[in-house]
């Protein structure tokens, strides 16, 4: 009997150790972004049918700046001064594992607004500091710091600033929208509703439903390593606290982040917001590439309808 108890204890310890080891390994997939400028630039011809150089030709030469983010993390940013008389600024928030050039694809849909542009690397991405990503928790606070920098250094008021985010970056701008720092409006393309859903919706597709058994251990290790509570990374919960108008868009055919997540978010947004559940058949965040004119038209209508005077194209501006 004593020998049996020992065997049971040893097996139990082995099971616990194995569970923790596997959970830790899987947490690496969540916390290690493998982000690099080279990777992002190489992907542009593959997915966008153009090049980094051609996209950059649409904008003036940027100024590289360092902005101090949340917890003193240094954020690497690019400031594009489209015009020294520009009346507005777009701050772009990229997706997980990418860098600031990933947001160049959105410039053509806002180009006629004539705004200056900020693109930056999130923490733990590219040239920015920070050890781990946090699902938008600390990133949303970084965005607030970027916004304060634009106000203080460039002289813009909040009603002259808009945030635009893609995928994980879209979740970030939505979470930031729940703060007291309200920009003119928010553009969110294909966000996730919460960090857990973002991770395990894809994990189940890759590894099967059995992966859910590991999810408590994986996410608790993520909490310990990143110094956050993953449950706070929830655009769905934050959406009801957003007071500024949101332009939310998500492809019905998205195979990576189910558009049902944006459907859920849209139900919590204020009445000034719009949700476009696009039927164009595009993959994740590809509406802006494959249906650029449609995307631009919807956003332009949103800007005119809400009378965002600083963001109107010259032909659409009322006399001021």
């Amino acid at each position: 009997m004593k020998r049996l108890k020992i065997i049971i204890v040893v097996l139990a310890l082995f099971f616990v150790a194995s569970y923790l080891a596997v959970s830790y390994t899987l947490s690496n997939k969540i916390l290690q972004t493998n982000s690099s400028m080279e990777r992002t630039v190489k992907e542009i011809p593959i997915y966008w049918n153009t090049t980094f150089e051609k996209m950059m030709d649409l904008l003036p030469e940027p100024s590289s700046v360092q902005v101090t983010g949340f917890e003193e993390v240094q954020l690497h940013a690019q400031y594009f001064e489209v015009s020294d008389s520009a009346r507005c600024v777009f701050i772009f928030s990229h997706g997980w594992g990418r860098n600031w050039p990933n947001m160049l694809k959105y410039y053509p849909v806002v180009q006629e607004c004539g705004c200056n542009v900020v693109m930056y690397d999130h923490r733990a991405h590219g040239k920015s500091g920070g050890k781990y990503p946090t699902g938008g928790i600390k990133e949303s606070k970084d965005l607030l710091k970027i916004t304060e920098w634009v106000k203080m250094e460039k002289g813009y008021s909040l009603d002259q600033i808009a945030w635009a985010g893609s995928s994980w970056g879209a979740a970030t701008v939505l979470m930031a929208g729940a703060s007291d720092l309200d920009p003119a409006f928010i553009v969110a393309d294909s966000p996730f509703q919460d960090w857990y859903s973002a991770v395990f919706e894809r994990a189940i597709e890759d590894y099967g439903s059995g992966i859910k058994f590991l999810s408590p251990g994986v996410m608790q290790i993520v909490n310990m390593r990143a110094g956050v509570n993953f449950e706070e990374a929830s655009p769905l919960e934050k959406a009801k606290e957003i007071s500024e108008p949101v332009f939310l868009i998500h492809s019905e055919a998205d195979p990576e982040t189910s558009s049902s997540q944006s459907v859920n978010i849209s139900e919590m947004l204020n009445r000034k917001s719009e949700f476009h559940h696009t039927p164009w058949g595009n993959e994740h965040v590809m509406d802006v590439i494959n249906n650029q004119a449609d995307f631009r038209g919807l956003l332009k209508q949103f800007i005119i309808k809400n009378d965002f005077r600083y963001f109107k194209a010259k032909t659409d501006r009322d006399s001021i």
Side-chain angles (χ1 to χ4, degrees), residues 21-319:
V22 173
S23 295
Y24 187 91
T25 299
L26 290 175
S27 75
N28 286 333
K29 292 184 175 292
I30 300 171
L31 295 175
Q32 294 179 355
T33 65
N34 298 318
S35 167
S36 73
M37 179 80 167
E38 293 74 19
R39 174 192 170 192
T40 301
V41 169
K42 284 181 180 178
E43 288 180 344
I44 291 176
I46 298 171
Y47 298 109
W48 303 3
N49 195 32
T50 187
T51 65
F52 169 73
E53 290 76 17
K54 288 181 180 178
M55 295 301 294
M56 288 292 285
D57 284 344
L58 299 176
L59 287 153
E61 188 72 21
S63 300
S64 292
V65 296
Q66 293 289 325
V67 179
T68 301
F70 180 62
E71 296 178 333
E72 304 301 310
V73 167
Q74 293 301 300
L75 303 172
H76 176 69
Q78 305 292 323
Y79 183 75
F80 297 87
E81 188 173 81
V82 174
S83 168
D84 59 7
S85 60
R87 310 186 319 158
C88 52
V89 177
F90 269 98
I91 303 176
F92 289 100
S93 172
H94 67 76
W96 187 87
R98 302 304 190 268
N99 299 81
W100 67 263
N102 186 251
M103 298 306 291
L104 288 169
K105 62 187 175 186
Y106 291 93
Y107 183 66
V109 303
V110 303
Q111 187 172 10
E112 67 177 26
C113 295
C115 302
N116 290 336
V117 170
V118 177
M119 298 184 187
Y120 66 102
D121 291 342
H122 281 298
R123 61 173 54 220
H125 287 75
K127 294 182 179 180
S128 288
K131 190 173 184 180
Y132 296 122
T134 63
I137 297 171
K138 295 181 180 180
E139 290 81 0
S140 61
K141 296 176 181 179
D142 289 335
L143 176 57
L144 301 183
K145 293 289 189 178
I146 293 279
T147 303
E148 290 286 7
W149 178 85
V150 170
K151 289 176 58 187
M152 295 296 295
E153 296 296 324
K154 301 302 177 181
Y156 288 94
S157 58
L158 284 172
D159 60 349
Q160 294 177 289
I161 298 171
W163 299 335
S166 173
S167 188
W168 184 70
T172 295
V173 297
L174 290 172
M175 292 172 65
S179 72
D180 293 331
L181 196 67
D182 297 333
F185 62 92
I186 294 170
V187 179
D189 184 1
S190 310
F192 56 75
Q193 65 182 14
D194 55 68
W195 201 4
Y196 181 91
S197 297
V199 171
F200 284 96
E201 181 181 79
R202 298 186 190 185
I204 289 170
E205 291 182 4
D206 292 340
Y207 302 106
S209 59
I211 195 71
K212 289 190 288 186
F213 171 71
L214 291 165
S215 63
V218 172
M219 296 312 293
Q220 286 307 315
I221 290 174
V222 166
N223 282 349
M224 289 186 290
R225 295 177 70 185
V228 296
N229 175 2
F230 77 89
E231 293 181 347
E232 294 179 4
S234 177
L236 179 62
E237 288 298 315
K238 295 292 186 180
K240 55 193 172 187
E241 301 174 34
I242 299 174
S243 59
E244 56 267 52
V246 175
F247 178 90
L248 177 62
I249 187 167
H250 205 140
S251 170
E252 291 178 354
D254 190 336
E256 294 186 31
T257 300
S258 171
S259 63
S260 63
Q261 297 193 45
S262 282
V263 171
N264 294 336
I265 292 170
S266 71
E267 293 172 354
M268 306 300 294
L269 291 172
N270 59 64
R271 294 182 178 179
K272 295 176 288 185
S273 299
E274 292 181 5
F275 174 43
H276 297 280
H277 202 188
T278 58
W280 305 324
N282 293 315
E283 296 193 0
H284 190 56
V285 296
M286 288 298 288
D287 281 344
V288 72
I289 294 294
N290 296 333
N291 289 79
Q292 185 182 101
D294 297 310
F295 193 119
R296 181 170 55 245
L298 291 172
L299 182 56
K300 180 177 180 178
Q301 291 172 17
F302 173 75
I303 289 171
I304 293 173
K305 184 181 76 173
N306 286 280
D307 195 25
F308 299 124
R309 60 193 307 197
Y310 296 113
F311 294 83
K312 289 181 180 180
K314 291 182 179 179
T315 55
D316 299 315
R317 292 175 188 168
D318 300 325
S319 57

